Amino acid sequence: MLIVVWLLMANAITVGGLVVGIVIGILLPIFTGPFWPGRPGVNYRTGIAYIFVVLWDIVIANFEVAAIILFRRNRDLKPAWLVIPMELETPEAITVFAGTISLTPGTVSADVSSCGNYLLVHALHAPDPAAEIARIKSRYETRLKGVFK
């Protein structure tokens, strides 16, 4: 992932940029590893599958939000604040969960409770808030529990 970010920041795919990206992508985690005590294990296979699920959901949500904006009157929208109870425990997993929700158009993570057990999310259109909470938990949180061990 660091290699991809490096190449995006360089704004060009060159051999030199790729070599620097590989060096940064390999050496940076090795040198910063001791500063992350108690970091969770990561199941990379499940993580890659999770990335594809999120990318798919982003594409679909873009079309859904476009349809809402273009064809639905403001008074017909049902925006809602959702309080999502979380079973995730590590800060890394909670951060990825909140970031995933914010990346998906139509929803944005607003706050994590001080106890770390709830996530406050605003949804552009959620006629059934309980169903939306269940969808978010089953779609993202369940998969993230498999990614972060």
Side-chain angles (χ1 to χ4, degrees):
M1 187 58 129
L2 289 173
I3 296 167
V4 171
V5 170
W6 176 260
L7 290 175
L8 288 172
M9 288 186 349
N11 201 22
I13 298 175
T14 62
V15 174
L18 188 59
V19 169
V20 171
I22 290 170
V23 168
I24 290 173
I26 292 172
L27 294 180
L28 191 64
I30 290 171
F31 288 128
T32 61
F35 300 109
W36 291 81
R39 65 180 182 248
V42 176
N43 182 338
Y44 291 101
R45 178 175 284 166
T46 308
I48 291 171
Y50 179 77
I51 289 170
F52 283 113
V53 167
V54 171
L55 289 175
W56 175 256
D57 286 353
I58 289 171
V59 170
I60 297 301
N62 272 299
F63 287 110
E64 290 172 349
V65 168
I68 288 170
I69 290 170
L70 293 173
F71 303 115
R72 195 175 297 259
R73 296 182 302 212
N74 285 344
R75 66 175 176 241
D76 295 336
L77 285 178
K78 303 269 191 277
W81 285 102
L82 310 172
V83 178
I84 301 175
M86 293 187 295
E87 298 170 23
L88 300 170
E89 296 175 0
T90 64
E92 295 85 1
I94 293 170
T95 301
V96 172
F97 184 50
T100 298
I101 291 170
S102 293
L103 281 172
T104 308
T107 56
V108 64
S109 301
D111 196 13
V112 176
S113 66
S114 59
C115 64
N117 293 330
Y118 298 94
L119 182 66
L120 181 64
V121 173
H122 184 267
L124 176 66
H125 182 65
D128 185 2
E132 186 68 18
I133 290 170
R135 186 189 70 77
I136 289 171
K137 285 183 69 67
S138 68
R139 193 91 176 137
Y140 303 125
E141 186 181 35
T142 304
R143 286 182 168 90
L144 279 175
K145 283 192 261 179
V147 173
F148 291 96
K149 305 254 178 191

